Amino acid sequence: MPRFPWDSLATAGETARAHPDGIVDLSVGTPVDPVPDVVRAALRAADDSPGYPATHGPPQLRAAAAAALARRHGVHGVDPEDVLPTIGSKEFVAWLPSLLGTRPGDTVVIPELAYPTYEAGARLAGAEIVRTDATHSLGPAGPAVLWLNSPSNPTGRVLPAEHLRKVVDWARERGTVVVSDECYLALGWEAEPVSVLDPEVCGGSFEGLLAVHSLSKTSNFAGYRGGFVTGDPALVGELLELRKHAGMIVPRPVQDAMTAALSDDEHLREQRARYAARRERLRPALEEAGFRVDHSVAGLYLWASREEDAWQTVRWLAERGVLVAPGTFYGPEGQRHVRIALTASDERIEAAVRRLRG
Ligand SMILES: Cc1ncc(COP(=O)(O)O)c(C=O)c1O
């Protein structure tokens, strides 16, 4: 395993913390706004849960997830039986290749610039890793697993339905499982993100496809740990069996909190509005300070460059008390970018804007 990348930000963190008006930490995409009241109430109501919870979750949770996909994302036809709750999505991402039976000699394809856990998961399985956004660069052999992530962490890029459709067709011809990490799907700003399970993409069949969802970002659920996966019934069924054996179970109070979060769209609208407003403040301030913002049409990050080495930009911002992540955390192609998260309070975002303008 490579060194955990965040440890290398310690020095920049110290510099940023020394700012007289305090640090503005835009390095990690961790929610800072309150957990919605409906979610907290559901968690509290289930706090007397002495028995073991079901790995598959209660039927109402699975039904709420299927209904949310239809209502929020136009994904129809998900059978609630094919919804599998996960303990947040990171553990699922990390263990998926192993649980799917990916082994040394198999290949896992990840985006050129990618959330680091795709690589970690492939390494845990001992698989070969290929970083690419272009299936034509892969040759005739079929990889075991191919990850998609639209909107992307770190770039905020959205892949159009035609692109996703081509990848799905390509993968089906080769027996490759396509796993689409859709944790930012509800956060489209200048583009409308599309699920891999949208009929325009999958042609009405979920065969060979998995869509991974997280409640962390849209429902401020990161501290509770809740997500789910759905898609190909055979694959979900296999994963359910394995996760039962391995004890990979969402705690019962959290299952009920998930049901509440998936059944309510009002808190999601409120949270979207908060991030939209922060983005509207921060983006122009960065551009006025000489940054170029690339992609970033959706999701929780601004992918920004000062046309210099990423670590130089990290230091430049740290001297102004603002901590961000170097693009190299996400792949070699990120060496001239930094990733700037929108996950800070309005007050801290205003502090960053003042410092950028000062
Ligand atoms: C692309 C992507 N996938 C998955 C996750 C994991 O989120 P969680 O484990 O909170 O569901 C993150 C978190 O930042 C992410 O950016």
Side-chain angles (χ1 to χ4, degrees):
M1 280 291 170
R3 193 169 161 229
F4 195 61
W6 295 97
D7 298 346
S8 59
L9 262 189
T11 311
E14 272 168 39
T15 307
R17 265 183 292 277
H19 191 281
D21 181 36
I23 185 173
V24 178
D25 191 347
L26 307 180
S27 63
V28 186
T30 189
V32 294
D33 301 302
V35 176
D37 286 341
V38 280
V39 174
R40 299 174 65 182
L43 184 93
R44 275 197 301 272
D47 68 358
D48 185 18
S49 296
Y52 286 107
T55 307
H56 207 184
Q60 60 271 25
L61 165 54
R62 303 197 292 269
L69 285 175
R71 211 175 53 242
R72 297 177 182 171
H73 304 299
V75 171
H76 297 279
V78 169
D79 183 338
E81 281 304 294
D82 302 330
V83 171
L84 173 56
T86 59
I87 315 158
S89 58
K90 182 168 178 162
E91 57 90 0
F92 182 82
V93 170
W95 291 108
L96 182 69
S98 301
L99 294 186
L100 286 177
T102 307
R103 295 287 173 264
D106 292 334
T107 300
V108 172
V109 179
I110 68 174
E112 193 81 69
L113 286 160
Y115 174 56
T117 311
Y118 306 139
E119 177 179 346
R123 283 179 184 255
L124 281 171
E128 299 292 321
I129 298 153
V130 176
R131 271 182 192 275
T132 184
D133 296 326
T135 46
H136 62 74
S137 67
L138 288 167
V145 175
L146 182 148
W147 281 99
L148 291 171
N149 177 219
S150 168
S152 151
N153 174 8
T155 67
R157 184 171 165 209
V158 169
L159 299 174
E162 314 84 79
H163 179 106
L164 296 170
R165 173 82 208 214
K166 280 187 194 147
V167 175
V168 167
D169 290 346
W170 181 94
R172 281 181 173 157
E173 279 166 22
R174 288 160 181 80
T176 300
V177 176
V178 175
V179 195
S180 176
D181 179 349
E182 304 187 344
C183 68
Y184 300 102
L185 204 65
L187 298 173
W189 314 120
E190 292 160 50
E192 191 57 58
V194 185
S195 170
V196 77
L197 304 183
D198 186 291
E200 255 196 84
V201 176
C202 71
S205 158
F206 299 161
E207 191 198 331
L209 309 178
L210 291 172
V212 181
H213 282 255
S214 169
L215 277 64
S216 292
K217 316 293 181 177
T218 36
S219 299
N220 297 333
F221 213 91
Y224 283 36
R225 311 306 297 136
F228 66 90
V229 60
T230 189
D232 186 322
L235 291 173
V236 174
E238 215 175 291
L239 291 167
L240 170 61
E241 283 308 302
L242 290 167
R243 290 174 63 92
K244 280 185 189 171
H245 283 296
M248 299 165 107
I249 320 173
V250 177
R252 179 62 213 228
V254 177
Q255 292 180 343
D256 284 9
M258 285 176 69
T259 307
L262 290 163
S263 305
D264 175 73
D265 291 346
E266 188 49 36
H267 75 275
L268 196 148
R269 272 191 287 276
E270 279 172 24
Q271 194 55 41
R272 262 186 64 90
R274 288 185 188 118
Y275 286 135
R278 290 169 190 159
R279 184 174 178 276
E280 286 299 305
R281 295 292 296 151
L282 199 52
R283 185 178 178 142
L286 284 164
E287 285 167 343
E288 284 163 32
F291 284 76
R292 194 186 69 233
V293 177
D294 292 324
H295 306 300
S296 310
V297 294
L300 273 192
Y301 310 102
L302 296 171
W303 184 241
S305 175
R306 277 173 27 111
E307 288 300 351
E308 64 186 10
D309 180 76
W311 280 103
Q312 214 173 320
T313 310
V314 168
R315 280 192 293 274
W316 189 89
L317 282 165
E319 280 157 17
R320 286 152 185 81
V322 179
L323 190 63
V324 302
T328 41
F329 279 11
Y330 308 93
E333 288 283 301
Q335 60 191 316
R336 294 175 84 74
H337 283 82
V338 293
R339 191 197 74 167
I340 304 174
L342 301 172
T343 48
S345 67
D346 295 343
E347 184 274 328
R348 286 291 84 187
I349 293 286
E350 284 311 315
V353 168
R354 273 197 310 278
R355 294 174 198 181
L356 285 164
R357 296 216 161 116

